[in-house]
Amino acid sequence: MSLLLNVALIGGGYAVGSIATAILVARALGLGDPRQSGSGNPGATNILRIGGKKAALLTLLGDLTKGAIPIVIARLLGLEDWALAAVALATFLGHLYPVFFGFRGGKGVATALGILLALLPVLGLSILGIWILVFAVTRVSSLAALLAAVGAVPIVFAVSAATSMRLLVLVLALLILWRHRGNIRRLLDGSERPFKRR
């Protein structure tokens, strides 16, 4: 596989990741910029709070899809594991630091899930299961995301022998933890808000 194609796919992954679904959905529905409302995070959880279930679902599906598309294309073109990992990381970084939106992006949970469902389906489904279970018990989205991210690390060692995949998941998990550092502080001091049961 040519170096030029690899570079093009990595750049394309970053560009696709930079499509800030939450911001586009919020604009389309007249909700304003989600970075200036609620928690200030352009992600599905904040969109749910400020715009309701329909807006949140559109955001979630968009973030999942944009995570998966570059991986699917790279796989179809026969990229090797290290190049696949590079495309995945570039896509994720595009979500965190979108070039089209002033490098102010989201926390990456849904995009990471889309990436992993396309890259390592067993791992993706496993961390989705962790998120659903933790959220069902606690109603705290950030805690569910954090435990899913941490849980992904031992799981990837069980489902993949590829060093590139293991390193990728470790980096994704660390970045998710970093982006949730404010949530971690609030979880520790007891001020993190759960979703009310309806």
Side-chain angles (χ1 to χ4, degrees):
M1 191 62 61
S2 73
L3 177 61
L4 183 61
L5 179 59
N6 288 344
V7 171
L9 289 170
I10 291 168
Y14 175 76
V16 172
S18 290
I19 300 170
T21 311
I23 297 174
L24 296 176
V25 168
R27 286 180 181 175
L29 298 179
L31 302 174
D33 190 334
R35 295 172 298 181
Q36 298 175 357
S37 303
S39 68
N41 178 58
T45 300
N46 193 35
I47 290 291
L48 177 61
R49 286 194 169 105
I50 66 177
K53 292 180 180 179
K54 176 183 176 181
L57 180 60
L58 290 171
T59 301
L60 177 62
L61 292 175
D63 284 347
L64 285 168
T65 301
K66 77 177 186 182
I69 285 175
I71 305 304
V72 171
I73 293 172
R75 276 198 179 282
L76 289 173
L77 292 174
L79 265 66
E80 297 179 358
D81 282 347
W82 282 105
L84 276 171
V87 172
L89 181 58
T91 304
F92 187 72
L93 291 174
H95 178 81
L96 300 189
Y97 307 103
V99 66
F100 308 126
F101 296 93
F103 301 99
R104 293 177 56 206
K107 296 179 180 178
V109 177
T111 300
L113 178 59
I115 288 169
L116 293 177
L117 285 170
L119 198 59
L120 297 165
V122 172
L123 174 60
L125 290 171
S126 297
I127 63 172
L128 176 60
I130 293 172
W131 191 97
I132 291 171
L133 177 62
V134 175
F135 183 76
V137 172
T138 67
R139 308 298 292 179
V140 180
S141 177
S142 60
L143 180 59
L146 290 165
L147 291 179
V150 171
V153 176
I155 295 172
V156 74
F157 276 81
V159 302
S160 176
T163 301
S164 57
M165 296 297 108
R166 292 176 173 182
L167 284 176
L168 171 67
V169 171
L170 177 60
V171 171
L172 295 183
L174 289 173
L175 286 170
I176 288 173
L177 293 176
W178 170 251
R179 297 291 282 192
H180 282 79
R181 59 196 183 278
N183 303 91
I184 293 171
R185 287 193 294 268
R186 289 191 293 275
L187 285 166
L188 291 174
D189 67 23
S191 62
E192 185 79 329
R193 292 183 300 162
F195 280 89
K196 294 180 180 179
R197 296 182 184 275
R198 294 181 179 179

